[in-house]
Amino acid sequence: MFAKEIYVQRRAELKARVGEGLILLFGNNDAPSNYPANAYRFRQDSCFLYFFGQKREGLVGVIDVDNDKEYIFGDDIDIDDIIWTGYVPSVSDLATEVGVSNTAPMAELQTVVNSAKAKGQTIHFVPQCRHDLMIQLADLVGIHPLQSKEKASVKLIKAIVDMRAVKKAEEVAELKKAADIGYMMHTTAQKLCAEGVTEKYIAGVIEGIAMSYGDRCSFQSILSMHGEIQHGYPSHSPMEAGRLMLCDAGAETDENYCSDNTRVTPISGKFTQRQRDIYGAVEAAHDWVIENAKPDVKWLDMHLGACRIITDHLKAIGLMKGDTEEAVRAGAHAMFMPHGLGHMMGLDVHDMEGLGQNFVGFDDEVQPSTQFGLNCLRCGRRLQKGFVMTDEPGIYFIPHLIDLWRSEKKHTDFINYDAVEAFKDFGGVRLEDDIIITDSGCEIIGDKIIPYHIDEVEELIRK
């Protein structure tokens, strides 16, 4: 947990931004896996963490802007809980640690909300992604449980996004810790990558690193020879010579700040020429973004620039053709890169995505697209100093997508389908690093950069 003053200041700023009403910020509850006593490992809600800091389940933070009061609602644990989990500080003690002076049992939350409604106060809340909290919110404010998104406070969402998007010094320090753990995870995966070793084994080892040095993995690890599958989770399949292993994984620190990196490793120890051609295209796009991302540049333009570089490289090896600008404008390149360039990152690996992607990544100037591929861009707005983004271009050969587009004669002016046919067994390549926007540019977060240049990767494996 950060210093008490940080949470006090954050809540004061939120009050000033929202201006009026009653703000409800729900912490998470335990979630059963397959029966009540066997719960998923607890992870606190990120907005609650940001403003109230505490990681205990069953808490709700309330900020009464009009009366300048702050509360934490929750029930103290009893001796039955203590027997199984050990002593947990009282709700009052937890509140004091983060500078909150008012606490009450959860049953009294309804009374406070009813009083606010009777006085005509606006009740502000953010969308809920857990069904138990949807029901709790619905009971409190009188909406249908599935209406938490449409009834959420836009003013509160925008205030939180503006605050959390710009990372402060204490947050950057945590992100660097997460990056250091990510470095250990990915270099270990690169070293373990060899014929006969299973995907599951490597994933298990690196997930152990995340838990040993931090709090947990920042998301379910993607590790597969089938790099063309965007979320290719590890199987018990042994690594096969001549193929590529794609590893997309990251860690959370004890304060729950995240890392998210992707690396591709040749299972035989050296890239073939065909693999070098595709990998080199992705590497060029990745590095171009790092050279050009800076304050006031639109992330949409970073995405489109990376797509142009990928298109040029695919043209050079005969997989695409025609005018690059026209091909990218038409979305022909999206058969090879059907996702966006990257996303914001912080307390959530897809930072604040649960608040609504349009509020997080877009604004009045830049709106989401409906075009295939571009519709998966999670952020298009202008960058600001302190934004943390993932730079993750990729090239994928997805057999079912290739067959579909070819049968539809789609983008035949730009795609050489006969040449692409020979790559249907290739898999995919993605390179991903976490960057922070600085005064005049950007830099990769972390003291060490996970090897990704071809010669560096091959040398690491050789050693």
Side-chain angles (χ1 to χ4, degrees):
M1 193 165 59
F2 297 130
K4 174 170 61 176
E5 292 72 22
I6 288 175
Y7 300 104
V8 171
Q9 189 279 327
R10 287 174 177 176
R11 294 193 300 272
E13 182 176 345
L14 184 64
K15 281 186 277 191
R17 287 177 177 270
V18 174
E20 50 75 38
L22 191 77
I23 298 171
L24 305 178
L25 292 171
F26 289 82
N28 285 332
N29 301 310
D30 276 332
S33 172
N34 55 343
Y35 59 90
N38 188 24
Y40 290 106
R41 189 170 172 219
F42 179 74
R43 206 289 195 175
Q44 187 61 282
D45 175 81
S46 294
C47 282
F48 186 90
L49 272 179
Y50 189 81
F51 292 104
F52 289 94
Q54 296 291 359
K55 298 180 180 180
R56 210 208 83 173
E57 78 289 345
L59 302 175
V60 177
V62 175
I63 302 173
D64 186 341
V65 182
D66 300 320
N67 297 295
D68 196 24
K69 288 187 176 181
E70 300 170 347
Y71 305 81
I72 292 182
F73 288 85
D75 299 322
D76 291 334
I77 68 169
D78 58 23
I79 190 63
D80 291 332
D81 293 318
I82 291 172
I83 289 169
W84 294 102
T85 63
Y87 175 72
V88 175
S90 68
V91 175
S92 178
D93 289 342
L94 295 175
T96 298
E97 289 179 350
V98 293
V100 174
S101 56
N102 301 293
T103 62
M106 190 62 73
E108 294 186 19
L109 177 56
Q110 185 72 68
T111 302
V112 171
V113 173
N114 288 346
S115 175
K117 290 166 67 177
K119 295 173 184 175
Q121 287 183 273
T122 304
I123 310 299
H124 299 280
F125 55 85
V126 297
Q128 303 302 316
C129 66
R130 296 192 175 199
H131 290 90
D132 58 327
L133 297 181
M134 291 180 188
I135 294 169
Q136 185 179 5
L137 172 64
D139 287 343
L140 283 170
V141 301
I143 61 173
H144 189 279
L146 298 180
Q147 289 183 309
S148 80
K149 184 176 181 179
E150 66 177 275
K151 299 291 187 180
S153 167
V154 173
K155 182 184 286 189
L156 177 60
I157 290 171
K158 288 184 175 181
I160 293 174
V161 169
D162 286 346
M163 290 179 65
R164 286 181 56 187
V166 177
K167 304 302 185 285
K168 303 297 194 297
E170 66 274 7
E171 297 179 281
V172 175
E174 287 296 319
L175 290 165
K176 288 182 177 179
K177 290 179 186 177
D180 290 342
I181 302 170
Y183 177 89
M184 287 189 282
M185 293 170 69
H186 280 275
T187 53
T188 298
Q190 290 171 320
K191 293 171 185 176
L192 289 175
C193 181
E195 184 179 3
V197 182
T198 67
E199 297 172 354
K200 276 272 194 179
Y201 176 77
I202 298 176
V205 172
I206 67 172
E207 287 175 2
I209 291 172
M211 295 186 69
S212 297
Y213 292 93
D215 184 70
R216 68 188 69 210
C217 293
S218 52
F219 57 97
Q220 187 177 347
S221 298
I222 297 164
L223 194 148
S224 177
M225 292 178 288
H226 286 282
E228 78 278 8
I229 301 173
Q230 302 302 295
H231 290 171
Y233 299 123
S235 71
H236 287 290
S237 299
M239 296 290 171
E240 299 173 12
R243 299 183 69 176
L244 298 171
M245 178 190 78
L246 185 148
C247 178
D248 186 342
E252 282 191 23
T253 67
D254 289 338
E255 295 302 326
N256 299 109
Y257 284 83
C258 301
S259 66
D260 181 6
N261 298 93
T262 306
R263 292 294 186 264
V264 171
T265 307
I267 296 169
S268 297
K270 295 185 84 61
F271 292 95
T272 66
Q273 187 56 53
R274 185 172 77 152
Q275 290 168 349
R276 282 174 171 260
D277 289 341
I278 301 302
Y279 191 103
V282 177
E283 180 184 17
H286 168 279
D287 289 355
W288 179 86
V289 173
I290 292 172
E291 292 165 4
N292 289 276
K294 60 184 179 181
D296 208 40
V297 169
K298 288 187 287 189
W299 191 246
L300 170 64
D301 291 339
M302 293 293 95
H303 170 83
L304 294 174
C307 294
R308 293 185 192 100
I309 290 171
I310 284 172
T311 300
D312 283 339
H313 278 258
L314 292 176
K315 284 167 58 179
I317 59 178
L319 299 180
M320 292 190 72
K321 58 186 177 180
D323 181 78
T324 295
E325 288 292 334
E326 291 181 9
V328 171
R329 191 178 304 114
H333 67 284
M335 189 181 80
F336 303 98
M337 183 176 156
H339 62 71
L341 176 64
H343 49 82
M344 286 189 175
M345 195 185 69
L347 272 171
D348 304 312
V349 71
H350 286 186
D351 210 22
M352 301 176 286
E353 191 167 293
L355 298 178
Q357 201 59 59
N358 286 6
F359 297 116
V360 177
F362 299 91
D363 53 22
D364 292 339
E365 180 185 16
V366 183
Q367 288 291 298
S369 171
T370 57
Q371 185 185 72
F372 179 82
L374 194 55
N375 63 346
C376 291
L377 182 64
R378 291 186 169 92
C379 180
R381 62 189 288 196
R382 292 186 186 275
L383 300 171
Q384 298 177 35
K385 179 184 176 182
F387 278 17
V388 172
M389 310 295 301
T390 63
D391 169 19
E392 50 177 313
I395 294 176
Y396 315 88
F397 296 89
I398 306 168
H400 290 89
L401 183 60
I402 294 168
D403 291 344
L404 176 64
W405 279 27
R406 186 168 196 173
S407 70
E408 295 175 344
K409 296 181 172 54
K410 198 166 186 175
H411 298 310
T412 54
D413 291 343
F414 305 114
I415 299 173
N416 286 320
Y417 283 103
D418 288 341
V420 171
E421 196 73 21
F423 280 77
K424 284 168 72 175
D425 64 346
F426 183 91
V429 171
R430 177 166 66 253
L431 293 175
E432 178 182 13
D433 280 301
D434 309 326
I435 61 173
I436 184 165
I437 306 303
T438 61
D439 286 316
S440 58
C442 74
E443 59 185 42
I444 296 177
I445 296 174
D447 294 328
K448 297 179 181 178
I449 297 175
I450 305 161
Y452 70 92
H453 296 300
I454 288 175
D455 293 343
E456 294 173 344
V457 174
E458 291 181 345
E459 179 66 10
L460 178 69
I461 298 169
R462 188 188 67 78
K463 287 182 176 179

